[in-house]
Each structure stands twice: as structure tokens, then as C-alpha cells.
Amino acid sequence: MNSKSLCKPWEHQLSRRQWLAGAAGSAAGAWGFSNSTSPALAADLKKKHKQVLFIWLDGGISQLESWDPKPNTEFGGPFRAIPTSVPGIHVSELCRHSAKQMHHLALVRSLCTQDDAHSSGVDRIQRGDPKNRGVVYPFFGSAVTNLLGPNGSGLPPYVWIKPMSGGFIYKDAGFLGPQYGALAFGDGKAPENLLKHPAISDDDMLARTQLRAAADARYAKSHRSGPTEANSFVYDMGMELMKRQSLFDMSKFSARDVERYGTHDLGRHMLLARRMLEEGVTFVKVNSYGWDSHGDNFNGSLSLVPKFDQPFAAMIEDLAERGMLDDVLVVAMSEFGRTPRVNGHVGRDHWPEAWSLVMAGSGIKRGVAVGNTNDNGTYVASDPYDIGHMFHTWFTALGIDPKKTEYDNHGQPLPIAHDDCRPVKEVLA
């Protein structure tokens, strides 16, 4: 694998103008369920207020330097394994904060997936790798917001907090349509040009909004309703964010919280993610880049893993203290793991054969480690789980039965997870 084939996040971004145009061109209603599951199911799920925090460590965190350490073995590396708050479960010493929260966590150490390339693996993992039925499946975030329905907060249902630029990421939605894409807050900031021009008074703004609504209503009388509804949705979402720009004011966090989460980008973004969850956003994705450690893996892990560990553990602690962990599913993972064998550049390469992820929260059993690898960590030594198994598990944890629930893609029934997989019962509460 060389750097040219790495996933480039900026390749998938749209400007605000493109976002407006894309959403306005959608053929489906912004909040409708014309190509999703039944409104009755969505209404039932809405009552449960389920939410998801999905932390994506882009490039591939090493399982040996995090959740499945193999100290004093051929490929184990220099770091020790430390005990956790759950007797018998050990993690890398680089995860010392998470070790104290292990009683809230569930580890899966027997992932065995299909793709060792970033360019295809990111999509494959986040779409759940379903059978090919001639359609592009949605990312997990788009799937969840479609299946759970509106959250009632007035905020976008699927937000993505990430380094660098933001925009509307329509491609996540796949066949569901662009209205189920992700609104990315680049560097954790509000969308650009969101401030109202100082020369426009509140009365002028209200008059303009009423004029637009009247024009939309007139247009909708003689045209398909979908594009008009999508257009209105985009404007309504923009107006809501204009009123709630304080959401992005990092100065309102306490000095203690800033210290607990860390003053680096990921710490700051995780704090914003907590606020978004508290405000009712259904699906919050947080990205961290730079985990592709083909060279100098151990110094890289020494720098990166603690920057993830600190805010992740603080988030779990806070969600538990606030009573939110029962309804928020937390998942932290990458597109694959790293090779046990160390290469000539003191790095670890891509390894989908045997790797790990961590979960917590809604529907997930607490304080467990499921699956195991062999003594050197080269291969799975128990039942292997593909990403399809994890999609079954996550949907089940959110109260969605993946065996009984289907997408309705304009008359084409489609399973929401790989037909041949099943939930990992050992991690379900």
C-alpha cells in the first residue's frame, strides 16, 4: 500500500452552495420515508431517542498498541499490557484512561474483514459490505438517521466533526438520496457564511423567509413536491443553525472539561460531539486522521493513541454520569488493523485478517472482551466477525431488527445488513 492510494477526505466534500443545489435537486422529501422503512417503525424508534457516536480513526489504529496487546511476543512491540477496571481484561498501556472505563466498554478482538486498501476499505466498512444488489448502500450514519427518523431537535440528524474543511457530504447517503447525507463541521466550526449580514434586520429576514416560503408553495402546486421539500429543509436547517451558533462556542466549556478531553483537535472535536449529542443530534461522527503508520509505528502510536484515549475515556465517563449511555451507542474503529509483523521502516502495514474495535452504550453489554487472536496476533483464533456482523449488532443494539427491517428503494426491498451475517450476541445486553 502506498500513500497515493490513501483515502483523501477532501475528495468527498461539497461547498455550501453545492450542498444547497444538491439537496434542492433531491427527488425525495427531506424528512419523508418514501424510500425507507415504515413511518410506524420510525415513530416507535423516535420514542426511544436512540443516538450514535461513531469515532473513525482513519488509516487504521494498531490493535496491538490498543485493544489486543501481545507483549513479550515476536510481534508484540515495546508497550506493556495493563489491567483494566474489569479483572482479566488487559489493554495496551497507551490506553490508560480507557482502561479505567473498561466496565462500560465492550471489545471485539476477532474482526476479520475483506479489504486492505484505504480507498475501497473506508466505504466498504462504513456501508456494511452488503451483497451487491446494483445499488450503492448508505454509510452507517445515513442508514441510522433514515431508520430512526427525525430527532425533533431542529438540528441536522447526521453531523460529521472533522479536521480541515466542512460541507455537505451527500455521497454517504447512497440510494437513500442526498437529504440523508452528512453535514460536516470542518475543524469543528459552523458552516461558512452562516452569519446574517448586519444590514439585514430581523424584520427583513422574516419577510424574506415568508416570501421564499410563498414562492416554494406556488412552485410546488405544479411540480413534484420532493425538490421543494428538500429545498425548504436546507433553508430551515440553515436558519436553525443561525439561531444556535452558540453551539460552536468552545469558550463555554469549562476549563476542567477542556483539560479532561485534551487541547488537541480530537479532544476539542469530541467535546463538541458531546454537546451535539446533548442537543439531540441523532448521529455524530468524529474523524481523526493520520493513523496509517507504515513507518515509525511505535513512536506514532505513542503520540496518537493517547490523544484518542483521553477524550474517548472522558466521553464514556460523561455519558455514563449523565445517564446517556443507555441510549447512545458508541463505536470507535478504523477500516482495518495493522500487521503484526513489523516492516523495514519500523511500521505496521494494513491487516484486515485480525483486528479490534471498541463499543459502549445502548444495547451493548458492559465490561466484556469478545473473540481472540492467536499468540502472535496474526490470525483470529475464535469465531471471526466481518463488518456485516457488526452492522447486525449495531442495528439490534439500537432496537432495529435487521432480519425484519428492510429498505424500500422505490419498490425494491433491500436488507439493511448482509444477509449471511448475524448479530454478535456475546456483546448484546
Side-chain angles (χ1 to χ4, degrees):
M1 186 68 202
N2 59 51
S3 60
K4 292 181 179 178
S5 59
L6 297 180
C7 181
K8 307 295 191 303
W10 53 85
E11 293 174 354
H12 311 305
Q13 298 169 357
L14 284 180
S15 67
R16 183 171 182 269
R17 178 171 296 177
Q18 287 172 306
W19 161 36
L20 294 171
S26 168
W31 293 103
F33 295 89
S34 58
N35 60 340
S36 67
T37 52
S38 73
L41 171 62
D44 181 58
L45 292 170
K46 181 183 175 185
K47 295 176 184 176
K48 299 175 182 175
H49 302 295
K50 297 297 183 183
Q51 297 170 283
V52 177
L53 172 62
F54 191 73
I55 304 161
W56 184 256
L57 307 175
D58 195 274
I61 185 175
S62 169
Q63 68 281 4
L64 295 156
E65 277 70 59
S66 55
W67 311 120
D68 191 16
K70 302 285 185 182
N72 305 315
T73 64
E74 182 179 7
F75 307 129
F79 301 112
R80 297 173 301 158
I82 59 172
T84 68
S85 59
V86 178
I89 298 180
H90 290 66
V91 297
S92 168
E93 64 178 319
L94 301 181
C95 298
R96 63 186 180 91
H97 294 288
S98 297
K100 298 174 183 175
Q101 302 298 322
M102 187 64 227
H103 53 288
H104 292 304
L105 305 179
L107 305 178
V108 177
R109 289 170 164 164
S110 54
L111 289 174
C112 181
T113 51
Q114 307 300 315
D115 210 311
D116 66 354
H118 299 288
S119 55
S120 52
V122 171
D123 279 21
R124 196 165 187 163
I125 292 295
Q126 294 201 43
R127 296 188 194 281
D129 198 18
K131 287 184 179 178
N132 183 4
R133 287 181 166 82
V135 299
V136 178
Y137 260 69
F139 273 32
F140 186 50
S142 298
V144 167
T145 52
N146 173 277
L147 294 167
L148 295 185
N151 58 41
S153 71
L155 293 169
Y158 176 13
V159 305
W160 181 11
I161 303 168
K162 60 190 288 299
M164 298 180 282
S165 61
F168 192 77
I169 316 299
Y170 72 92
K171 78 149 199 167
D172 282 22
F175 68 78
L176 295 177
Q179 70 274 23
Y180 290 104
L183 177 58
F185 299 134
D187 197 27
K189 297 178 180 175
E192 295 180 357
N193 303 317
L194 197 60
L195 287 174
K196 184 180 66 175
H197 193 284
I200 300 175
S201 68
D202 289 343
D203 289 342
D204 288 342
M205 197 68 185
L206 178 61
R208 291 182 180 201
T209 301
Q210 291 173 338
L211 178 61
R212 177 185 56 79
D216 283 349
R218 181 175 180 180
Y219 183 86
K221 288 180 180 177
S222 55
H223 296 80
R224 294 173 62 187
S225 61
T228 307
E229 291 173 354
N231 189 56
S232 296
F233 163 69
V234 170
Y235 273 99
D236 291 345
M237 194 162 58
M239 293 291 289
E240 188 67 24
L241 288 175
M242 287 179 70
K243 292 186 292 185
R244 302 171 73 170
Q245 292 189 60
S246 61
L247 289 172
F248 301 93
D249 185 353
M250 301 303 290
S251 70
K252 294 185 179 298
F253 288 111
S254 70
R256 179 177 178 272
D257 275 350
V258 171
E259 182 181 359
R260 289 174 60 238
Y261 279 70
T263 54
H264 43 75
D265 282 352
L266 185 55
R268 190 163 50 82
H269 295 169
M270 288 283 278
L271 257 182
L272 180 60
R274 191 190 74 185
R275 180 178 283 167
M276 291 292 166
L277 291 169
E278 291 170 338
E279 292 295 321
V281 173
T282 301
F283 194 101
V284 181
K285 180 162 71 173
V286 179
N287 260 54
S288 173
Y289 295 114
W291 293 83
D292 195 20
S293 56
H294 291 285
D296 201 12
N297 171 77
F298 301 114
N299 281 323
S301 295
L302 185 62
S303 171
L304 282 170
V305 176
K307 287 181 180 176
F308 157 75
D309 171 60
Q310 181 181 0
F312 175 73
M315 176 71 80
I316 296 299
E317 182 180 24
D318 287 351
L319 293 178
E321 285 185 356
R322 288 162 166 75
M324 296 174 66
L325 206 52
D326 290 339
D327 295 307
V328 179
L329 171 66
V330 181
V331 178
M333 66 180 303
S334 301
E335 60 267 45
F336 38 62
R338 313 301 306 183
T339 51
R341 184 179 299 279
V342 178
N343 65 28
H345 301 284
V346 200
R348 297 191 191 272
D349 300 315
H350 306 165
W351 194 246
E353 304 289 341
W355 54 293
S356 306
L357 62 74
V358 61
M359 300 181 288
S362 174
I364 298 298
K365 191 177 292 183
R366 304 185 183 194
V368 297
V370 172
N372 58 279
T373 51
N374 60 15
D375 289 345
N376 282 335
T378 50
Y379 293 100
V380 172
S382 57
D383 288 340
Y385 296 120
D386 205 336
I387 188 61
H389 294 94
M390 302 319 303
F391 265 57
H392 277 271
T393 303
W394 298 335
F395 285 136
T396 302
L398 292 170
I400 304 166
D401 188 336
K403 290 296 184 184
K404 296 180 179 178
T405 308
E406 292 182 323
Y407 296 117
D408 179 3
N409 182 32
H410 303 291
Q412 178 189 17
L414 294 168
I416 62 174
H418 196 293
D419 321 37
D420 298 337
C421 296
R422 57 178 174 77
V424 182
K425 293 183 178 178
E426 299 94 319
V427 295
L428 288 172

